[in-house]
Each structure stands twice: as structure tokens, then as C-alpha cells.
């Protein structure tokens, strides 16, 4: 509880810094009117006033914060939609994408990590260690483009981007086909990290005294590995997964952009390129809150899973 | 994790372009095709079908009065119409009005004192909004009122010249102007529906912003931000039997490279705005045709004649560019045709003035061509002597300049490299300092647009005039529109050019309703502007649209509007 209260000034500081950074970037949301025939300086001044951009910075921040805390997240300056509504449009798409990634990574990381640790230095271990290292070092944008070129352009097996075929209202198979490449892109990179964590942690655990004790009790090897080793070895993994939770909200900036996935990442990207402050502040503030709470959550879970750790 | 790769994102486009180009099918086939005349060879138009068009920018909203992006007008042109519109030739034609009101046909009446005027529009009878409500003169009046009362509209230009509007009957609107306003036919280009908006206290927060009513061939049925924008047949469209298509889906894709890939794969049948250099990617595809339309965009380099300083004094003289001989030498040293051939694959014309197409374009005005020898002679005579490093100087001032443009634009960045070499040959040292477009083109004194502040040497960008040139010519070349600290940064005369005769010609053109007189006045002003040698007119750009060959009926393009200007005629062949 004390830690929860401690998070409040931290979050306030984060939003203030974000606001300051955002506003110190030259240019502004009204730059979209450049090149519009007939725009005069009078028009620009009127728009600046209409959107409150002519106010001093601290006043803009305080008024934003006040409205934000009251649940009014404001309107996009360029899209003229409520920020909450825009998030509502994109969040389900991002949850679908990141949720699938989350599940796929978890389902694959645990068995692969376990097997590579138990069968250390086997051909399988070498293969996995080598390829996870390769994927871990691969930039997402490059991997994404490679997958598009191979499976989309060359083999024509999968669509090149988007979330569904244009004109198709809702078709599960269609959405799944569109999901494969973006999920693979993020999952392959993430999987590398998770597997390596679990493998290292498992190796560490397998060498512990209580493992020898378990075997000495005559327990079946499967029970020893699954029941005793994995449970302890999973603790660091749980922490990492908890820290991933904010991504379920924020989406994947680069991957969504490459695949044209209509999620939070693209919303954030567009808002960034257009300097659309209300959207940026709304999304980044929520992301900050989630990151702070994910850290707290990770600490709590850690303490629960490992009785040796207790917070006073 | 996402933020980690953010910095790499800029590379994405470039890398994808390279790899995609490498993977392009190498089938030898017909090259880039000319626009296919409506209905040619493909037989009679077929009714029905869905067309998917890739757009690689996304309309932020579809509110006619908030328009700022080209892609907004692409979608809006299928949906919202007005009283008049531009023809491909850059003249006016009636849409919802019976005729274009002019002095000759009595539609425009100048007051006895010659200071004000009335424009009378007769509406076509029986026109309905896409929800079935009738279009009346009250909508015309409401459109003006909305533009003048809603603080969030873009430009109010022209509407602010109207003092009142009378609606003697449902089909007659008499617009009273408080001055003689030559560009009156450009106003009311998109009508707003009174019955749908009048009950709203803040238009920007209404559904209209995403799904405006219109009288065009289609109506907006879905606005899926980040994904697609769907327009479907408007049952109340005034032309029987049209449109042929049931539906057009504007599919949002992340980049033009992806749009090209989807066009090749047949996932989309048309693509908005393919780059000149990108046409090479589709030139060998037998299923794809590229339609080239002249556009009003003119690429230029503006030269600052005042001292390069933040908030410069407009009367100060640039140590290098203040000398007209240097400016003229740079014009001679710029290989325009070579740049067009190499960087734009020949799909542009050499620039001449700010008006490339339309009724006012002075076709006989040109600018000096490429002649580095003349450039060197000019500079020699003007006393700019070459130093040991080959760079000229005069009175201790080195001929060193900086050029700026929007970063991330491959064509402009390559062009800058060409200019470094070319200018070096005439003894001028050129450096590059580029900025993101939201910074470089912010157009705001407060956020420090360097063109506004005068803190630049050379600025490379393009812009387009409206079909009526008064706004752009007046704002950019009239001496009263030089932005300075004294006037709070008002105006867009970024070169700080001052010429009393040019001012006079611009004022004359703006105060007249006689198209011939206005045309002559613009020609005079633009000739003087070229004599001042403050702008290098690089090229007149084109609008390029790529279609799969089963898309029929596009007809000639319309540079004043866009490729979607006649979608009621489009149809799909097998």
C-alpha cells in the first residue's frame, strides 16, 4: 500500500516530463495546414486559440491533468474524436495481436526452455540456443519485412498486411491468416529472450541441493523436473511476463506500422508524426501507469512464488 | 520493447523499397500505359462490383470544412459536392448550381459605387442529400455561417468577404460580398447539410466529422481508422443509373511501397499517388497501368534576400544572395531537365512560374535554362573571385550557402546532392541542413518556421495554388506579406522580395472580376517575379495513379481535384 502511494508522485512526474518533451519538439499539430491553399496567419492564430495551443505551457499541462483525472481525456486536435473513443477503437485489435503473441510465447517458451536445460549440450539445445540468439539479435522491422517478402510477395501464402481482407466484415479464418505474420514477427524475437531466461534459470535450479534430495527420494524424473525444478525456475520468467503486460495496451509500434495493423501502436505512431498531443498524452499516461503497476505486480508475485523474499 | 526499435523505423521504408525492388517479377511486358479513354476497348460499362483503392496516408477526418490533407479530398470527392467545381482545364463548371454566375450572364452584379457585389446562384431542382432530405438555398447560407462561426475550420478565406446571404426561395441564394472578390467561384465547393448540423453545439464533436452528408455518387458507410474507409452507392444520386460501382473501399496501408506490393498481388485494384521513381516498380507489370495527370504542385527553391537571421529585418541584405547576380547564377547552375529525367524518371515538366496549370497560368513565361558557363561569367563580372579552394568570395564574404528541405524525402535529398556538385562548379559552396516536415513546414512564426523567421539561405519544397491564384500570389509575393517581428510574422513572402510594380499588378488582379484582365495582371506580376530571380522553379510535378487494367472509366485526370473526381463513371471489367 505504501508503495502504491509512492507511485503517485512518480506518475505525476512522468506525465509532466512527457508533456514538456512533447511540447519542446518543434512544429505542432497545426503543421498539417501547411500547403492548404488560402490558410492565413489569422486562420492559424484562430486555430491555435481554439485548441488552447496559445496558452502558456504550465497552464496547458495543469488543465490537461485536471481534465484527465476527471476522466475527460480530451479530443484529438486532428481527428476531432474523443481520445478515449480512439483508444476504444484500437485497443481490441492490439489486445488480439499482443494477447496472441503473449500466449504463443508462453506456450512455446516453457517446454523449449525446459528441454534445452534438461538436455544441455544436446543437438536440440545447440539448435535452439543458436537460433534464439539469432532471433534475439534481429530487429523486428527487418524480420517483419523479410516475412512479408517471403510469405506474402513470393509464396503468396499470406496477406501482405492489414487485419482483414477489404470488404470482408468478420471472418475468423481471415483474421487468423492476417495474424500469422505479425504474431510470428514479434513472437520469434520475444521467444528468444524468454527461452534463454528459462534455460539459464533451469540450469541454475537443476544444480541445487533440493533437486538431488528429490531424486534421492526416488521421485520420477518427470515429477522432479516439472514439479520441483520448473516451479522454481519459472520465478524470473513470471517477473518478465508481468513486465510485458503494458505491451498488451501499448501494442507494438514498429510491427503494427509495418503490417498496417489497426492497433494502439499505429495510433501512437500517427499521433507522434502529427504532434497530436491529446492522443499522445492519453496513451503514454496509461502506459506509464501500467508499467508502474506491472512492476509492483511483479514484485508481489515474486514474493508469493518465492517465500524467501518478503517485503517489510 | 517497442520503443527500442523506434529509432530504426526510419530505415524501414528505404530497406523495404530496396528488397521489394530486388524481388520484383522480371516479366518483360508492356511499359507504363497512357490513360485509357473511358470505356475504350473494354465494351459497355458494367454495373456493380467493389473497387479497393490503396491509400498510404489516412484521412484524419472527413469534415469538409476541416480539410487539410490531399487524401481527405480523395475520399470527399466521391461524397460531397458543391455549387461549382474545377474542370481538368482549370476552369469552372456548375455542379449543384444551374450555371456559373458571371458578370456576363447577370449572375454577378457589381454595386453602383463599384465597391461591393452580389452573386446569385440558382440551384438545380430535386437534389437530395444522401439521407433523402432536399438540398435548398438554406444549406448554402448555412455553409457560410458554419465556416464563419465554427472556430475549428481551416481557412475562412473568401467566406470572410461575405456580408450576408438572402434566400428568396428554396432554389435561389443571393450572396452579398462586402468587396469585389474575384475568386468567388471557388467558394461553396463543398456544401454542408443544415438539417444534420444545426442542432449540434460543436460540429467537431458530431458524427458528421467522420460521416458527412453529401450529394455525390457515394456516401460514407464505414470509417475504420487505421484500416479502411468505405463509401457505398448513394441511392439519391441525381444521375440515373450511376454510379456503376456498388462500393469503393479506401484501404489504409502503411506506405506507398506496401501499396505497390498489394497492387501487384491484386489485393487492391488501384493505388493513390505513386511516386515518380516508384513507377519503375510497376512498369513491367502487364496488369498495371499508370495514369499521369498534370498537377498544380510546383517544386521550387526559394532564396532568402534578407540576412539569414532569426526574426530577420526584411530590409537587411543577404551577404551572398542579396546580389542578384548570385541568384541568377544559381538559376543557370541548376540542371532542371537532368534532375527531372534522372530523379523523377521524366514524369514532370521544367518549372516556369508558380502557376503551372489553370486559367491564369502564363504559358509564355519561362526561366533561364541550365548554362554553367553563363553562371561563371555572371559571377566573374560581379566581382566574385574564385579562391584556392574553388569557392568564390567578394569583399571577404565567402559564397557559402545552406539548403534545407523536408528530411526523409528521397527525391529531395538526392536533388540536394546533385546541387552540391553543380554549384561547386560555379564556385558556390553548398551545405545541407534538413528538418522533419512538421518542423520545416510548420508555417508558424511561434513554432519557428525558418522560412517565416527568415533564418535560411535556400528552401526546397513545393506548394500548390488554389484554382484561383489570388491567394498564393498575394500571400507569397506581395511586399505587404513579408513576415517580420514588426507584423507578428504575418504573410508568406519568404524570399522577402519587394517590387512596387509587382504589388500593383497583384492588387489589380485581386480587385477585378474580368478574367482576361486578371490573367494579364498575374502574367505581369509573375514576369517581374522571375526578373527578380528569387525563386528557382525546378519542376511542375504530376499526379500519378496506378490501376490494375480492369478498372475502367477514369478518363482524363483532374489536377485541381484528384484522381477520384469522376468515380460515378468508373466500372470494373472482367
Amino acid at each position: 500500500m505504501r508503495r502504491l502511494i509512492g507511485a503517485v508522485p512518480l506518475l505525476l512526474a512522468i506525465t509532466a516530463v512527457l508533456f514538456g518533451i512533447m511540447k519542446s519538439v518543434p512544429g505542432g499539430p497545426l503543421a498539417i495546414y501547411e500547403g492548404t491553399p488560402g490558410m492565413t496567419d489569422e486562420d492559424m492564430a484562430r486555430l491555435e486559440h481554439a485548441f488552447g495551443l496559445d496558452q502558456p505551457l504550465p497552464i496547458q499541462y495543469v488543465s490537461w491533468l485536471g481534465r484527465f483525472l476527471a476522466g475527460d481525456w480530451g479530443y484529438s486536435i486532428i481527428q476531432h474524436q474523443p481520445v478515449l473513443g480512439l483508444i476504444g477503437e484500437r485497443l481490441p485489435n492490439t489486445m488480439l495481436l499482443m494477447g496472441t503473441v503473449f500466449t504463443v510465447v508462453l506456450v512455446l517458451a516453457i517446454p523449449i526452455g525446459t528441454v534445452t536445460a534438461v538436455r544441455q549440450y544436446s543437438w536440440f539445445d545447440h539448435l535452439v540456443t543458436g537460433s534464439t540468439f539469432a532471433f534475439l539479435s534481429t530487429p523486428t522491422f527487418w524480420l517483419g519485412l523479410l516475412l512479408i517478402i517471403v510469405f506474402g510477395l513470393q509464396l503468396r501464402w499470406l496477406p501482405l498486411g492489414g487485419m482483414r481482407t477489404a470488404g470482408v466484415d468478420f471472418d475468423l479464418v481471415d483474421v487468423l491468416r492476417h495474424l500469422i505474420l505479425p504474431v510470428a514477427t514479434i513472437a520469434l524475437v520475444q521467444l528468444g529472450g524468454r527461452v534463454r531466461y528459462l534455460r539459464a534459470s533451469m540450469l541454475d535450479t537443476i544444480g541445487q541441493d533440493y533437486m538431488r534430495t528429490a531424486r534421492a527420494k526416488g521421485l520420477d524424473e518427470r515429477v522432479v523436473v516439472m514439479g520441483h525444478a520448473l516451479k522454481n525456475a519459472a520465478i524470473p520468467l513470471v517477473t518478465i511476463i508481468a513486465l510485458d503486460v503494458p505491451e498488451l495496451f501499448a501494442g507494438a509500434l514498429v510491427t503494427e506500422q509495418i503490417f498496417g495493423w489497426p492497433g494502439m501502436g499505429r495510433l501512437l505512431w500517427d499521433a507522434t508524426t502529427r504532434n497530436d498531443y491529446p492522443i499522445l498524452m492519453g496513451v503514454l499516461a496509461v502506459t506509464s501507469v501500467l508499467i508502474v503497476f506491472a512492476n509492483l505486480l511483479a514484485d508481489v508475485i515474486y514474493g508469493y512464488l518465492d517465500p524467501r523474499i518478503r517485503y517489510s | 520493447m517497442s520503443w527500442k526499435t523506434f529509432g530504426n523505423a526510419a530505415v524501414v521504408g528505404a530497406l523495404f523499397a530496396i528488397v521489394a525492388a530486388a524481388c520484383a517479377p522480371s516479366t518483360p511486358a508492356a511499359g507504363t500505359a497512357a490513360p485509357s479513354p473511358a470505356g475504350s476497348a473494354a465494351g459497355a460499362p458494367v454495373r456493380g462490383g467493389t473497387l479497393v483503392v490503396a491509400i498510404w496516408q489516412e484521412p484524419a477526418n472527413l469534415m469538409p470544412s476541416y480539410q487539410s490533407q490531399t487524401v481527405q479530398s480523395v475520399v470527399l470527392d466521391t461524397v460531397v459536392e458543391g455549387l461549382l467545381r474545377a474542370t481538368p482545364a482549370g476552369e469552372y463548371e456548375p455542379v449543384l448550381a444551374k450555371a456559373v454566375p458571371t458578370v456576363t450572364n447577370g449572375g454577378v452584379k457589381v454595386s453602383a459605387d463599384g465597391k461591393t457585389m452580389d452573386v446569385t446562384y440558382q440551384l438545380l431542382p430535386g437534389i437530395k442529400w444522401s439521407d433523402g432530405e432536399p438540398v435548398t438555398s438554406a444549406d448554402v447560407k448555412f455553409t457560410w455561417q458554419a465556416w464563419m462561426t465554427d472556430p475549428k475550420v481551416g481557412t475562412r478565406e473568401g467566406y470572410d468577404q461575405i456580408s450576408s446571404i438572402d434566400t428568396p426561395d428554396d432554389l435561389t441564394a443571393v450572396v452579398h460580398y462586402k468587396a469585389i472578390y474575384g475568386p468567388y467561384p471557388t467558394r461553396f465547393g463543398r456544401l454542408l447539410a443544415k438539417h444534420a448540423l444545426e442542432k449540434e453545439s460543436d460540429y467537431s464533436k458530431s458524427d458528421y466529422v467522420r460521416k458527412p452528408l453529401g450529394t455525390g455518387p457515394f456516401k460514407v458507410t464505414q470509417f475504420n481508422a487505421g484500416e479502411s474507409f468505405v463509401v457505398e452507392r448513394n441511392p439519391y444520386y441525381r444521375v440515373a443509373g450511376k454510379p456503376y460501382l456498388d462500393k469503393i473501399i479506401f484501404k489504409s496501408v502503411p506506405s506507398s511501397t506496401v501499396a505497390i506490393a498489394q497492387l501487384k498481388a491484386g489485393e487492391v485494384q488501384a493505388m493513390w499517388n505513386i511516386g515518380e521513381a516508384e513507377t519503375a516498380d510497376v512498369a513491367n507489370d502487364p496488369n498495371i497501368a499508370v495514369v499521369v495527370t498534370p498537377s498544380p504542385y510546383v517544386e521550387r527553391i526559394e532564396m532568402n534576400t534578407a540576412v539569414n537571421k532569426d526574426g530577420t529585418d526584411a530590409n537587411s541584405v543577404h551577404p551572398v544572395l542579396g546580389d542578384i547576380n548570385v541568384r541568377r547564377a544559381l538559376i543557370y547552375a541548376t540542371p532542371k531537365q537532368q534532375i527531372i529525367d534522372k530523379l523523377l524518371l521524366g514524369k514532370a515538366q521544367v518549372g516556369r512560374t508558380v502557376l503551372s496549370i489553370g486559367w491564369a497560368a502564363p504559358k509564355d513565361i519561362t526561366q533561364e535554362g541550365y548554362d554553367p558557363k553563363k553562371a561563371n561569367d555572371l559571377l566573374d563580372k560581379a566581382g566574385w573571385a574564385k579562391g584556392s579552394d574553388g569557392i568564390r568570395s567578394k569583399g571577404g564574404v565567402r559564397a557559402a550557402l545552406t539548403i534545407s528541405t523536408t528530411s526523409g524525402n528521397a527525391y529531395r535529398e538526392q536533388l540536394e546532392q546533385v546541387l552540391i556538385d553543380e554549384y561547386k562548379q560555379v564556385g558556390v559552396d553548398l551545405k545541407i541542413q534538413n528538418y522533419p516536415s512538421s518542423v520545416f513546414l510548420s508555417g508558424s512564426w511561434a513554432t519557428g518556421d525558418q522560412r517565416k523567421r527568415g533564418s535560411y539561405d535556400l528552401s526546397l519544397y513545393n506548394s500548390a495554388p488554389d484554382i484561383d491564384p489570388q491567394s498564393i500570389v498575394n500571400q507569397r509575393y506581395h511586399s505587404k506579406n513579408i513576415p517580420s517581428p514588426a507584423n507578428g510574422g504575418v504573410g508568406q513572402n519568404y524570399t522577402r522580395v519587394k517590387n512596387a510594380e509587382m504589388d500593383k499588378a497583384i492588387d489589380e488582379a485581386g480587385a477585378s472580376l474580368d478574367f482576361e484582365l486578371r490573367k494579364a495582371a498575374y502574367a505581369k506580376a509573375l514576369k517581374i517575379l522571375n526578373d527578380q530571380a528569387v525563386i528557382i522553379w525546378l519542376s511542375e510535378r504530376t499526379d500519378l495513379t496506378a490501376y490494375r487494367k480492369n478498372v475502367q472509366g477514369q478518363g482524363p485526370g483532374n489536377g485541381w481535384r484528384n484522381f477520384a473526381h469522376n468515380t460515378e463513371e468508373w466500372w470494373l471489367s472482367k
Side-chain angles (χ1 to χ4, degrees), chain A residues 210-230:
Chain A
Y210 60 80
M211 291 296 293
R212 213 172 40 232
T213 313
R215 287 206 188 88
K217 282 199 294 188
L219 285 178
D220 184 55
E221 182 65 16
R222 202 154 12 128
V223 178
V224 174
V225 172
M226 303 303 276
H228 292 256
L230 185 61

Side-chain angles (χ1 to χ4, degrees), chain B residues 222-237:
Chain B
Q222 286 180 49
F223 189 111
N224 305 320
E227 202 176 0
S228 63
F229 307 85
V230 182
V231 297
E232 290 180 51
R233 185 195 301 279
N234 170 8
Y236 297 100
Y237 186 53

Side-chain angles (χ1 to χ4, degrees), chain A residues 141 254 269, chain B residues 5-16 408:
Chain A
F141 77 90
V254 175
W269 177 290
Chain B
T5 36
F6 182 71
N8 292 327
V11 197
V12 172
L15 183 95
F16 191 39

Side-chain angles (χ1 to χ4, degrees), chain B residues 262-328:
Chain B
Q262 297 201 355
L263 185 68
K264 284 179 165 181
E267 285 186 29
V268 303
Q269 288 97 46
M271 127 174 215
W272 164 75
N273 203 341
I274 182 169
E276 288 91 346
E278 291 170 329
T279 57
D281 290 349
V282 296
N284 289 327
D285 193 316
N287 298 315
I288 295 172
V290 174
V291 175
V292 184
T293 305
S295 90
Y297 281 91
V298 180
E299 196 87 19
R300 84 287 305 265
I301 296 173
E302 291 186 343
M303 301 186 258
N304 186 7
T305 59
V307 171
N308 174 349
K309 185 174 123 241
D310 189 28
T312 197
D313 170 9
N315 294 312
S316 61
V317 179
H318 194 287
V320 180
L321 293 170
D323 182 348
I324 190 168
N325 293 303
V326 176
R327 302 200 301 266
R328 293 186 63 205

